[in-house]
Coordinates of all heavy atoms in Angstrom, one line a residue:
M114 N 34.1 -9.4 4.9 CA 33.3 -8.6 5.8 C 33.1 -9.4 7.1 O 32.6 -10.5 7.1 CB 31.9 -8.2 5.2 CG 31.1 -7.4 6.1 SD 29.7 -6.8 5.1 CE 28.4 -7.2 6.1
A115 N 33.5 -8.9 8.2 CA 33.4 -9.6 9.5 C 32.0 -9.5 10.0 O 31.3 -8.5 9.9 CB 34.3 -9.0 10.5
S116 N 31.6 -10.6 10.7 CA 30.2 -10.7 11.3 C 30.3 -10.0 12.7 O 31.3 -10.0 13.4 CB 29.8 -12.1 11.5 OG 29.7 -12.7 10.3
S117 N 29.2 -9.3 13.0 CA 29.1 -8.7 14.3 C 28.8 -9.7 15.4 O 28.3 -10.8 15.1 CB 28.0 -7.6 14.3 OG 26.7 -8.3 14.2
P118 N 29.1 -9.5 16.6 CA 28.9 -10.4 17.7 C 27.4 -10.7 17.8 O 27.0 -11.9 18.1 CB 29.4 -9.7 19.0 CG 30.4 -8.7 18.5 CD 29.9 -8.3 17.1
E119 N 26.5 -9.7 17.6 CA 25.1 -10.0 17.7 C 24.6 -11.0 16.6 O 23.8 -11.8 16.9 CB 24.3 -8.7 17.5 CG 24.4 -7.7 18.7 CD 25.4 -6.6 18.3 OE1 25.6 -6.3 17.1 OE2 26.0 -6.0 19.2
A120 N 25.2 -10.9 15.4 CA 24.8 -11.8 14.3 C 25.3 -13.2 14.7 O 24.6 -14.2 14.4 CB 25.4 -11.3 13.0
Q121 N 26.4 -13.3 15.2 CA 27.0 -14.6 15.6 C 26.1 -15.3 16.7 O 25.9 -16.5 16.8 CB 28.4 -14.6 16.0 CG 29.4 -14.3 14.8 CD 30.8 -14.1 15.2 OE1 31.1 -14.1 16.4 NE2 31.7 -14.0 14.2
A122 N 25.7 -14.5 17.7 CA 24.9 -15.0 18.8 C 23.6 -15.6 18.3 O 23.0 -16.4 19.0 CB 24.7 -13.9 19.8
H123 N 23.0 -15.1 17.2 CA 21.8 -15.6 16.7 C 21.9 -16.7 15.6 O 21.0 -17.1 15.0 CB 21.0 -14.4 16.1 CG 20.5 -13.5 17.2 ND1 21.3 -12.7 17.9 CD2 19.2 -13.2 17.6 CE1 20.6 -12.0 18.8 NE2 19.3 -12.3 18.6
T124 N 23.1 -17.1 15.3 CA 23.4 -18.2 14.4 C 23.1 -19.5 15.0 O 23.5 -19.8 16.1 CB 24.8 -18.1 13.9 OG1 25.1 -16.8 13.3 CG2 25.1 -19.2 12.8
V125 N 22.3 -20.4 14.3 CA 22.0 -21.7 14.8 C 22.4 -22.7 13.7 O 22.1 -22.6 12.5 CB 20.4 -21.7 15.0 CG1 20.1 -23.1 15.5 CG2 20.0 -20.7 16.1
D126 N 23.0 -23.8 14.2 CA 23.4 -24.9 13.3 C 22.1 -25.8 13.1 O 21.7 -26.4 14.1 CB 24.5 -25.7 13.9 CG 24.9 -26.8 13.0 OD1 24.5 -26.9 11.8 OD2 25.6 -27.8 13.5
L127 N 21.5 -25.7 12.0 CA 20.2 -26.5 11.8 C 20.4 -28.0 12.0 O 19.5 -28.7 12.4 CB 19.7 -26.2 10.4 CG 19.2 -24.8 10.2 CD1 18.7 -24.6 8.7 CD2 18.1 -24.4 11.1
A128 N 21.6 -28.5 11.7 CA 21.9 -29.9 11.8 C 21.8 -30.4 13.3 O 21.6 -31.5 13.6 CB 23.2 -30.3 11.2
S129 N 22.0 -29.4 14.2 CA 22.0 -29.8 15.6 C 20.6 -29.7 16.3 O 20.4 -30.1 17.4 CB 22.9 -28.9 16.4 OG 22.4 -27.5 16.4
L130 N 19.6 -29.3 15.5 CA 18.2 -29.1 16.0 C 17.5 -30.4 16.0 O 17.7 -31.2 15.0 CB 17.5 -28.0 15.3 CG 18.0 -26.6 15.4 CD1 17.2 -25.7 14.5 CD2 18.1 -26.1 16.8
S131 N 16.5 -30.6 16.9 CA 15.7 -31.8 16.9 C 14.6 -31.6 15.8 O 14.4 -30.5 15.3 CB 15.0 -32.0 18.2 OG 14.1 -30.9 18.5
L132 N 13.9 -32.6 15.5 CA 12.8 -32.5 14.6 C 11.7 -31.6 15.0 O 11.2 -30.8 14.2 CB 12.2 -33.9 14.3 CG 11.2 -34.1 13.2 CD1 11.8 -33.6 11.9 CD2 10.6 -35.5 13.2
Q133 N 11.4 -31.5 16.3 CA 10.4 -30.6 16.8 C 10.9 -29.1 16.6 O 10.1 -28.2 16.3 CB 10.1 -30.9 18.3 CG 9.0 -30.0 18.8 CD 8.7 -30.4 20.3 OE1 9.4 -31.2 20.9 NE2 7.7 -29.8 20.8
Q134 N 12.2 -28.9 16.9 CA 12.7 -27.5 16.8 C 12.7 -27.1 15.3 O 12.4 -26.0 15.0 CB 14.1 -27.5 17.4 CG 14.2 -27.6 18.9 CD 15.5 -27.8 19.4 OE1 16.4 -28.5 18.8 NE2 15.8 -27.1 20.6
L135 N 13.1 -28.0 14.4 CA 13.1 -27.7 13.0 C 11.7 -27.4 12.5 O 11.5 -26.5 11.7 CB 13.7 -28.9 12.2 CG 15.2 -29.0 12.2 CD1 15.6 -30.3 11.6 CD2 15.9 -27.9 11.6
S136 N 10.7 -28.1 13.0 CA 9.3 -27.9 12.7 C 8.9 -26.5 13.1 O 8.2 -25.8 12.4 CB 8.4 -29.0 13.3 OG 7.1 -28.7 13.0
S137 N 9.3 -26.1 14.3 CA 9.0 -24.8 14.8 C 9.7 -23.7 14.0 O 9.0 -22.7 13.7 CB 9.5 -24.7 16.3 OG 9.3 -23.4 16.8
V138 N 10.9 -23.9 13.6 CA 11.6 -22.9 12.8 C 10.9 -22.8 11.4 O 10.6 -21.7 10.9 CB 13.1 -23.3 12.6 CG1 13.7 -22.5 11.5 CG2 13.8 -23.2 13.9
K139 N 10.5 -23.9 10.8 CA 9.8 -23.9 9.6 C 8.5 -23.1 9.7 O 8.1 -22.4 8.8 CB 9.5 -25.3 9.1 CG 8.8 -25.4 7.8 CD 8.4 -26.8 7.4 CE 7.6 -26.9 6.1 NZ 6.4 -26.1 6.0
K140 N 7.7 -23.4 10.8 CA 6.5 -22.7 11.0 C 6.6 -21.2 11.1 O 5.9 -20.4 10.4 CB 5.7 -23.2 12.2 CG 4.5 -22.4 12.6 CD 3.4 -23.2 13.0 CE 2.1 -22.4 13.4 NZ 1.8 -21.3 12.6
R141 N 7.7 -20.8 11.8 CA 8.0 -19.3 11.9 C 8.3 -18.7 10.6 O 7.9 -17.6 10.2 CB 9.1 -19.1 12.9 CG 8.5 -19.1 14.4 CD 9.6 -18.7 15.3 NE 10.5 -19.9 15.5 CZ 11.6 -19.9 16.1 NH1 12.1 -18.8 16.7 NH2 12.4 -20.9 16.2
L142 N 9.1 -19.4 9.8 CA 9.5 -18.9 8.5 C 8.3 -18.9 7.5 O 8.2 -18.0 6.7 CB 10.6 -19.8 7.9 CG 12.0 -19.6 8.6 CD1 13.0 -20.6 8.0 CD2 12.5 -18.2 8.5
D143 N 7.5 -19.9 7.6 CA 6.2 -19.9 6.8 C 5.3 -18.8 7.1 O 4.8 -18.1 6.2 CB 5.5 -21.3 6.9 CG 6.2 -22.4 6.2 OD1 7.0 -22.2 5.4 OD2 5.8 -23.6 6.6
D144 N 5.2 -18.5 8.4 CA 4.3 -17.4 8.9 C 4.9 -16.1 8.4 O 4.2 -15.2 8.0 CB 4.2 -17.4 10.4 CG 3.4 -18.5 11.0 OD1 2.7 -19.2 10.2 OD2 3.4 -18.8 12.2
E145 N 6.2 -15.9 8.5 CA 6.9 -14.7 8.1 C 6.7 -14.5 6.6 O 6.4 -13.4 6.1 CB 8.3 -14.7 8.4 CG 9.0 -13.4 8.1 CD 10.5 -13.3 8.7 OE1 10.9 -14.2 9.5 OE2 11.2 -12.4 8.2
L146 N 6.9 -15.6 5.8 CA 6.7 -15.5 4.4 C 5.3 -15.2 4.0 O 5.1 -14.3 3.1 CB 7.1 -16.9 3.7 CG 6.9 -16.9 2.2 CD1 7.8 -15.9 1.5 CD2 7.2 -18.4 1.7
E147 N 4.3 -15.7 4.7 CA 2.9 -15.4 4.4 C 2.7 -13.9 4.7 O 2.0 -13.2 3.9 CB 2.0 -16.2 5.3 CG 0.5 -16.0 5.0 CD -0.4 -16.9 5.9 OE1 0.1 -17.9 6.4 OE2 -1.5 -16.5 6.0
H148 N 3.2 -13.4 5.8 CA 3.0 -12.0 6.2 C 3.7 -11.1 5.1 O 3.1 -10.1 4.7 CB 3.7 -11.7 7.6 CG 3.7 -10.3 7.9 ND1 2.6 -9.6 8.3 CD2 4.7 -9.4 7.9 CE1 2.9 -8.3 8.5 NE2 4.2 -8.2 8.3
L149 N 4.9 -11.4 4.7 CA 5.5 -10.6 3.7 C 4.8 -10.7 2.4 O 4.7 -9.6 1.7 CB 7.0 -11.1 3.5 CG 7.9 -10.8 4.7 CD1 9.3 -11.5 4.4 CD2 8.1 -9.3 4.9
T150 N 4.3 -11.8 2.0 CA 3.5 -11.9 0.7 C 2.2 -11.1 0.8 O 1.9 -10.4 -0.2 CB 3.2 -13.4 0.5 OG1 4.4 -14.2 0.4 CG2 2.4 -13.6 -0.8
T151 N 1.5 -11.2 1.9 CA 0.3 -10.4 2.1 C 0.6 -8.9 2.0 O -0.1 -8.1 1.4 CB -0.4 -10.7 3.4 OG1 -0.6 -12.1 3.4 CG2 -1.6 -9.9 3.6
S152 N 1.7 -8.5 2.7 CA 2.1 -7.1 2.7 C 2.4 -6.6 1.3 O 2.1 -5.5 0.9 CB 3.3 -6.8 3.7 OG 2.9 -7.1 5.0
F153 N 3.2 -7.4 0.6 CA 3.5 -7.1 -0.8 C 2.3 -6.9 -1.7 O 2.2 -6.0 -2.5 CB 4.5 -8.1 -1.4 CG 4.9 -7.9 -2.8 CD1 5.8 -6.8 -3.0 CD2 4.4 -8.6 -3.8 CE1 6.2 -6.6 -4.3 CE2 4.8 -8.3 -5.1 CZ 5.7 -7.3 -5.4
T154 N 1.4 -7.8 -1.5 CA 0.1 -7.8 -2.3 C -0.6 -6.5 -2.0 O -1.1 -5.8 -2.9 CB -0.7 -9.0 -2.0 OG1 0.0 -10.2 -2.4 CG2 -2.0 -9.0 -2.8
K155 N -0.7 -6.1 -0.8 CA -1.4 -4.9 -0.4 C -0.7 -3.7 -0.9 O -1.3 -2.7 -1.4 CB -1.6 -4.8 1.1 CG -2.6 -5.8 1.7 CD -2.6 -5.7 3.2 CE -3.6 -6.7 3.8 NZ -3.7 -6.7 5.3
L156 N 0.6 -3.7 -0.9 CA 1.4 -2.6 -1.4 C 1.2 -2.4 -2.9 O 1.0 -1.3 -3.4 CB 2.9 -2.8 -1.1 CG 3.8 -1.7 -1.6 CD1 3.5 -0.4 -0.9 CD2 5.3 -2.1 -1.3
R157 N 1.2 -3.5 -3.6 CA 1.0 -3.5 -5.1 C -0.4 -2.9 -5.4 O -0.6 -2.2 -6.3 CB 1.1 -4.9 -5.7 CG 2.6 -5.4 -5.6 CD 3.5 -4.6 -6.4 NE 3.3 -4.9 -7.8 CZ 4.0 -4.4 -8.8 NH1 5.0 -3.5 -8.5 NH2 3.8 -4.7 -10.0
A158 N -1.5 -3.3 -4.6 CA -2.8 -2.9 -4.8 C -2.9 -1.3 -4.5 O -3.5 -0.6 -5.3 CB -3.8 -3.6 -3.9
A159 N -2.2 -0.9 -3.5 CA -2.2 0.6 -3.2 C -1.5 1.3 -4.3 O -1.9 2.4 -4.7 CB -1.5 0.8 -1.9
Q160 N -0.4 0.8 -4.8 CA 0.4 1.4 -5.9 C -0.5 1.5 -7.2 O -0.5 2.5 -7.9 CB 1.6 0.6 -6.2 CG 2.5 1.1 -7.3 CD 3.7 0.3 -7.6 OE1 3.6 -1.0 -7.6 NE2 4.9 0.9 -7.7
T161 N -1.3 0.4 -7.5 CA -2.2 0.4 -8.6 C -3.2 1.5 -8.5 O -3.5 2.2 -9.4 CB -2.8 -1.0 -8.8 OG1 -1.7 -1.9 -9.0 CG2 -3.8 -1.0 -10.0
K162 N -3.8 1.6 -7.3 CA -4.9 2.6 -7.0 C -4.3 4.0 -7.2 O -4.9 4.8 -7.8 CB -5.4 2.4 -5.6 CG -6.5 3.4 -5.3 CD -7.1 3.1 -3.9 CE -8.2 4.1 -3.6 NZ -8.7 4.0 -2.2
F163 N -3.1 4.2 -6.7 CA -2.4 5.5 -6.8 C -2.2 5.9 -8.3 O -2.5 7.0 -8.7 CB -1.1 5.5 -6.0 CG -0.4 6.8 -6.0 CD1 -0.9 7.9 -5.3 CD2 0.7 7.0 -6.8 CE1 -0.3 9.1 -5.3 CE2 1.4 8.2 -6.8 CZ 0.9 9.3 -6.0
R164 N -1.7 4.9 -9.1 CA -1.5 5.2 -10.5 C -2.8 5.4 -11.2 O -2.9 6.3 -12.1 CB -0.8 4.0 -11.1 CG 0.7 3.9 -10.8 CD 1.4 2.8 -11.5 NE 2.8 2.9 -11.2 CZ 3.6 1.8 -11.1 NH1 3.1 0.6 -11.5 NH2 4.8 1.9 -10.8
E165 N -3.9 4.7 -10.8 CA -5.2 5.0 -11.4 C -5.7 6.4 -11.1 O -6.3 7.1 -11.9 CB -6.2 4.0 -11.0 CG -6.0 2.6 -11.6 CD -6.9 1.5 -11.0 OE1 -7.6 1.8 -10.0 OE2 -6.8 0.4 -11.4
C166 N -5.4 6.8 -9.8 CA -5.8 8.2 -9.4 C -5.1 9.2 -10.2 O -5.6 10.2 -10.7 CB -5.5 8.4 -7.9 SG -6.6 7.6 -6.8
I167 N -3.8 9.0 -10.4 CA -3.0 9.9 -11.2 C -3.5 10.0 -12.7 O -3.7 11.1 -13.2 CB -1.5 9.5 -11.2 CG1 -0.9 9.8 -9.9 CG2 -0.7 10.3 -12.3 CD1 0.5 9.2 -9.7
T168 N -3.8 8.9 -13.2 CA -4.4 8.8 -14.6 C -5.7 9.6 -14.7 O -5.9 10.3 -15.6 CB -4.5 7.4 -15.1 OG1 -3.2 6.7 -15.1 CG2 -5.0 7.3 -16.5
S169 N -6.5 9.3 -13.7 CA -7.9 10.0 -13.6 C -7.7 11.5 -13.6 O -8.4 12.2 -14.2 CB -8.7 9.5 -12.5 OG -9.0 8.1 -12.6
I170 N -6.8 11.9 -12.7 CA -6.6 13.4 -12.6 C -6.1 14.0 -13.9 O -6.5 15.0 -14.3 CB -5.6 13.6 -11.4 CG1 -6.1 13.2 -10.1 CG2 -5.2 15.1 -11.4 CD1 -7.1 14.1 -9.5
R171 N -5.1 13.3 -14.5 CA -4.5 13.9 -15.7 C -5.5 13.9 -16.9 O -5.6 14.9 -17.6 CB -3.3 13.0 -16.2 CG -2.1 13.2 -15.4 CD -0.9 12.5 -16.0 NE 0.3 12.7 -15.2 CZ 1.1 11.7 -14.9 NH1 0.9 10.5 -15.4 NH2 2.2 11.9 -14.2
E172 N -6.3 12.9 -17.0 CA -7.2 12.8 -18.1 C -8.6 13.4 -17.8 O -9.3 13.8 -18.7 CB -7.4 11.3 -18.5 CG -6.1 10.7 -19.0 CD -6.2 9.2 -19.3 OE1 -7.3 8.7 -19.2 OE2 -5.2 8.7 -19.8
G173 N -9.0 13.5 -16.5 CA -10.4 13.9 -16.2 C -10.5 15.3 -15.7 O -11.6 15.8 -15.7
I174 N -9.4 15.9 -15.2 CA -9.5 17.2 -14.6 C -8.8 18.2 -15.5 O -7.7 18.1 -15.9 CB -8.9 17.3 -13.2 CG1 -9.5 16.3 -12.3 CG2 -9.0 18.7 -12.7 CD1 -10.9 16.5 -11.9
S175 N -9.6 19.2 -16.0 CA -9.1 20.3 -16.8 C -9.9 21.5 -16.6 O -10.9 21.5 -15.8 CB -9.2 19.9 -18.3 OG -10.5 19.8 -18.7
S176 N -9.5 22.6 -17.2 CA -10.3 23.8 -17.0 C -11.7 23.7 -17.5 O -12.6 24.4 -17.0 CB -9.6 25.0 -17.6 OG -9.4 24.8 -19.0
K177 N -11.9 22.8 -18.4 CA -13.3 22.5 -19.0 C -14.2 21.9 -17.9 O -15.4 21.9 -18.0 CB -13.2 21.7 -20.2 CG -12.6 22.4 -21.4 CD -12.7 21.5 -22.6 CE -11.3 20.8 -22.8 NZ -11.2 19.9 -23.9
T178 N -13.6 21.2 -17.0 CA -14.3 20.4 -15.9 C -14.9 21.3 -14.8 O -15.8 21.0 -14.2 CB -13.4 19.4 -15.3 OG1 -12.6 18.7 -16.3 CG2 -14.2 18.4 -14.5
K179 N -14.3 22.5 -14.7 CA -14.7 23.4 -13.6 C -16.1 23.8 -13.7 O -16.6 24.2 -14.8 CB -13.8 24.7 -13.6 CG -14.0 25.7 -12.5 CD -13.1 26.8 -12.5 CE -13.4 27.8 -11.4 NZ -12.5 28.9 -11.4
G180 N -16.9 23.7 -12.6 CA -18.2 24.0 -12.6 C -19.2 23.0 -13.1 O -20.4 23.1 -12.9
K181 N -18.7 21.9 -13.7 CA -19.5 20.8 -14.2 C -20.0 19.9 -13.0 O -19.2 19.7 -12.1 CB -18.9 20.0 -15.3 CG -18.7 20.8 -16.5 CD -18.3 19.9 -17.7 CE -18.2 20.7 -19.0 NZ -17.8 19.9 -20.1
P182 N -21.1 19.3 -13.1 CA -21.6 18.4 -12.0 C -20.7 17.1 -12.0 O -20.2 16.6 -13.0 CB -23.0 18.1 -12.4 CG -23.2 18.4 -13.8 CD -22.1 19.4 -14.1
L183 N -20.5 16.6 -10.8 CA -19.7 15.4 -10.6 C -20.2 14.7 -9.3 O -20.9 15.3 -8.5 CB -18.2 15.6 -10.6 CG -17.6 16.7 -9.6 CD1 -17.4 16.1 -8.3 CD2 -16.4 17.2 -10.2
L184 N -19.8 13.5 -9.1 CA -20.2 12.8 -7.8 C -18.9 12.8 -6.9 O -17.8 12.5 -7.3 CB -20.6 11.3 -8.1 CG -21.9 11.2 -8.9 CD1 -22.1 9.7 -9.2 CD2 -23.0 11.7 -8.1
V185 N -19.2 13.2 -5.6 CA -18.2 13.3 -4.6 C -18.3 12.1 -3.7 O -19.4 12.0 -3.1 CB -18.3 14.6 -3.9 CG1 -17.2 14.7 -2.8 CG2 -18.2 15.8 -4.9
P186 N -17.3 11.3 -3.5 CA -17.4 10.2 -2.6 C -17.3 10.6 -1.1 O -16.4 11.3 -0.7 CB -16.2 9.3 -2.9 CG -15.2 10.2 -3.5 CD -16.0 11.3 -4.2
L187 N -18.3 10.3 -0.3 CA -18.3 10.5 1.1 C -17.8 9.3 1.9 O -17.1 9.4 2.9 CB -19.7 10.9 1.6 CG -20.3 12.2 1.2 CD1 -21.6 12.5 1.8 CD2 -19.3 13.4 1.5
T188 N -18.2 8.1 1.4 CA -17.8 6.8 1.9 C -17.5 5.9 0.7 O -17.6 6.4 -0.4 CB -18.8 6.1 2.8 OG1 -19.9 5.7 2.0 CG2 -19.3 7.0 3.9
T189 N -17.1 4.7 0.9 CA -16.9 3.8 -0.2 C -18.1 3.5 -1.0 O -18.0 3.1 -2.2 CB -16.2 2.5 0.3 OG1 -17.1 1.9 1.2 CG2 -14.9 2.7 0.9
S190 N -19.3 3.7 -0.4 CA -20.5 3.3 -1.1 C -21.5 4.5 -1.2 O -22.6 4.4 -1.7 CB -21.2 2.2 -0.4 OG -21.5 2.5 0.9
L191 N -21.2 5.7 -0.7 CA -22.0 6.8 -0.7 C -21.4 8.0 -1.5 O -20.3 8.5 -1.1 CB -22.4 7.3 0.7 CG -23.3 8.5 0.8 CD1 -24.7 8.2 0.2 CD2 -23.4 8.9 2.3
Y192 N -22.1 8.5 -2.5 CA -21.6 9.6 -3.3 C -22.7 10.6 -3.4 O -23.9 10.3 -3.4 CB -21.3 9.1 -4.8 CG -20.1 8.2 -4.9 CD1 -20.2 6.9 -4.6 CD2 -18.9 8.7 -5.4 CE1 -19.1 6.0 -4.7 CE2 -17.8 7.9 -5.5 CZ -17.9 6.6 -5.1 OH -16.8 5.7 -5.2
V193 N -22.3 11.9 -3.3 CA -23.3 13.0 -3.4 C -22.9 13.9 -4.6 O -21.7 14.0 -5.0 CB -23.3 13.8 -2.1 CG1 -23.7 13.0 -0.9 CG2 -21.9 14.4 -1.8
P194 N -23.9 14.6 -5.2 CA -23.6 15.4 -6.3 C -22.8 16.7 -5.8 O -23.0 17.2 -4.7 CB -25.0 15.9 -6.8 CG -26.0 15.2 -5.9 CD -25.3 14.4 -4.9
G195 N -21.9 17.1 -6.7 CA -21.2 18.3 -6.4 C -20.6 19.0 -7.7 O -20.9 18.5 -8.7
T196 N -19.9 20.0 -7.5 CA -19.2 20.7 -8.7 C -17.8 20.9 -8.3 O -17.4 21.1 -7.1 CB -19.9 22.0 -9.0 OG1 -19.9 22.9 -7.9 CG2 -21.3 21.8 -9.5
L197 N -16.9 21.0 -9.3 CA -15.5 21.2 -9.1 C -15.3 22.7 -9.1 O -15.5 23.4 -10.0 CB -14.7 20.6 -10.2 CG -13.2 20.7 -10.1 CD1 -12.7 19.9 -8.8 CD2 -12.5 20.0 -11.3
A198 N -14.9 23.2 -7.9 CA -14.7 24.7 -7.7 C -13.4 25.2 -8.4 O -13.3 26.3 -8.9 CB -14.7 25.1 -6.3
D199 N -12.3 24.4 -8.3 CA -11.0 24.8 -8.7 C -10.3 23.6 -9.4 O -10.0 22.6 -8.8 CB -10.2 25.3 -7.6 CG -8.8 25.8 -8.0 OD1 -8.5 25.8 -9.2 OD2 -8.1 26.3 -7.1
A200 N -10.2 23.7 -10.7 CA -9.6 22.6 -11.5 C -8.1 22.5 -11.4 O -7.5 21.5 -11.7 CB -10.0 22.7 -13.0
E201 N -7.5 23.5 -10.8 CA -6.0 23.5 -10.6 C -5.6 22.9 -9.3 O -4.4 22.5 -9.2 CB -5.5 25.0 -10.7 CG -5.7 25.6 -12.1 CD -5.1 24.8 -13.2 OE1 -3.9 24.4 -13.1 OE2 -5.7 24.7 -14.2
R202 N -6.5 22.9 -8.3 CA -6.1 22.3 -7.0 C -7.2 21.2 -6.6 O -8.3 21.6 -6.3 CB -6.1 23.4 -6.0 CG -5.0 24.4 -6.2 CD -5.1 25.6 -5.3 NE -5.1 25.2 -3.9 CZ -4.3 25.7 -3.0 NH1 -3.4 26.6 -3.3 NH2 -4.4 25.2 -1.8
V203 N -6.8 20.0 -6.6 CA -7.7 18.9 -6.4 C -7.1 18.0 -5.3 O -5.9 17.7 -5.3 CB -7.9 18.0 -7.6 CG1 -8.8 16.9 -7.4 CG2 -8.4 18.9 -8.8
M204 N -7.9 17.6 -4.3 CA -7.5 16.6 -3.3 C -7.7 15.2 -3.8 O -8.8 14.9 -4.3 CB -8.3 16.8 -2.0 CG -8.1 18.2 -1.4 SD -6.3 18.5 -0.9 CE -6.2 17.4 0.5
V205 N -6.7 14.3 -3.6 CA -6.8 13.0 -4.1 C -6.6 12.0 -2.9 O -5.7 12.2 -2.1 CB -5.7 12.7 -5.1 CG1 -5.7 11.2 -5.6 CG2 -5.8 13.6 -6.3
D206 N -7.5 11.1 -2.7 CA -7.5 10.1 -1.7 C -6.5 9.0 -2.1 O -6.7 8.3 -3.1 CB -8.8 9.5 -1.5 CG -8.9 8.4 -0.4 OD1 -7.8 8.1 0.2 OD2 -9.9 7.8 -0.2
I207 N -5.4 8.9 -1.4 CA -4.4 7.9 -1.8 C -4.5 6.6 -0.9 O -3.7 5.8 -0.9 CB -2.9 8.4 -1.7 CG1 -2.6 9.0 -0.4 CG2 -2.8 9.5 -2.8 CD1 -1.1 9.3 -0.3
G208 N -5.6 6.6 -0.1 CA -5.8 5.4 0.8 C -5.5 5.6 2.2 O -4.7 6.5 2.6
T209 N -6.1 4.7 3.0 CA -5.9 4.7 4.5 C -6.0 6.1 5.2 O -5.2 6.4 6.1 CB -4.6 4.0 4.9 OG1 -3.5 4.8 4.4 CG2 -4.5 2.6 4.4
G210 N -6.9 6.9 4.6 CA -7.1 8.2 5.3 C -6.1 9.3 4.9 O -6.1 10.4 5.5
F211 N -5.3 9.1 3.9 CA -4.3 10.1 3.5 C -4.8 10.7 2.2 O -5.2 10.1 1.3 CB -2.9 9.5 3.3 CG -2.3 9.0 4.5 CD1 -2.4 7.7 5.0 CD2 -1.6 9.9 5.3 CE1 -1.8 7.3 6.2 CE2 -1.0 9.6 6.5 CZ -1.1 8.3 6.9
Y212 N -4.6 12.0 2.1 CA -5.0 12.8 0.9 C -3.8 13.6 0.4 O -3.0 14.1 1.2 CB -6.1 13.8 1.2 CG -7.4 13.0 1.5 CD1 -7.7 12.5 2.8 CD2 -8.3 12.7 0.6 CE1 -8.8 11.8 3.1 CE2 -9.5 12.0 0.8 CZ -9.7 11.6 2.1 OH -10.9 10.9 2.4
V213 N -3.7 13.8 -0.9 CA -2.6 14.6 -1.5 C -3.3 15.7 -2.3 O -4.3 15.4 -3.0 CB -1.7 13.7 -2.3 CG1 -0.7 14.6 -3.1 CG2 -1.1 12.6 -1.5
E214 N -2.8 16.9 -2.2 CA -3.3 18.0 -3.1 C -2.5 18.0 -4.4 O -1.3 18.0 -4.4 CB -3.1 19.3 -2.4 CG -3.7 20.5 -3.2 CD -3.6 21.8 -2.5 OE1 -3.8 21.8 -1.2 OE2 -3.3 22.8 -3.1
K215 N -3.3 17.9 -5.5 CA -2.7 18.0 -6.8 C -2.9 19.5 -7.2 O -3.9 20.0 -7.4 CB -3.4 17.1 -7.8 CG -2.8 17.1 -9.2 CD -3.8 17.7 -10.1 CE -3.2 17.7 -11.5 NZ -3.8 18.8 -12.3
A216 N -1.7 20.2 -7.3 CA -1.8 21.6 -7.7 C -1.1 21.8 -9.0 O -0.3 21.0 -9.5 CB -1.1 22.4 -6.6

């Protein structure tokens, strides 16, 4: 597979770099690795939350639940009493302000 001219233009021979330049390259790579690790951790947490939501919906919502009292989250720390009007259509918070309708 041939390299494109853009890829060749960005190729650097590490042996030709000074100690200061190598240190700079290492810092940039360390920063990028930290960013990717943090992003991956956040993604895994969101995935876990989503799976927990799916499990809660499957196990907790049924026709028997309709009309029964439950707590509705308004914020992360404020819940108000409510009732489930329709057990077949439920809105699920999947994080960062996004909701999915489970029908």
Side-chain angles (χ1 to χ4, degrees):
M114 182 167 128
S116 297
S117 68
E119 292 101 21
Q121 289 178 352
H123 290 67
T124 301
V125 176
D126 180 17
L127 294 178
S129 67
L130 297 178
S131 69
L132 188 57
Q133 185 178 6
Q134 290 171 320
L135 286 172
S136 180
S137 177
V138 169
K139 180 188 179 303
K140 171 135 180 41
R141 280 187 283 173
L142 290 174
D143 286 343
D144 290 346
E145 186 174 345
L146 178 62
E147 182 179 342
H148 172 73
L149 291 172
T150 302
T151 301
S152 297
F153 179 73
T154 301
K155 289 178 182 178
L156 180 61
R157 294 295 284 182
Q160 183 182 40
T161 299
K162 182 178 178 182
F163 183 71
R164 285 186 178 149
E165 288 171 356
C166 287
I167 290 172
T168 301
S169 294
I170 295 281
R171 281 189 187 137
E172 296 175 1
I174 304 295
S175 68
S176 59
K177 293 184 259 179
T178 316
K179 185 176 178 178
K181 290 190 176 181
L183 53 87
L184 291 175
V185 179
L187 292 182
T188 67
T189 56
S190 61
L191 178 63
Y192 292 77
V193 295
T196 57
L197 185 62
D199 185 355
E201 297 301 317
R202 296 171 55 129
V203 180
M204 296 297 289
V205 178
D206 178 5
I207 59 171
T209 63
F211 291 96
Y212 293 85
V213 174
E214 182 178 323
K215 183 250 180 202

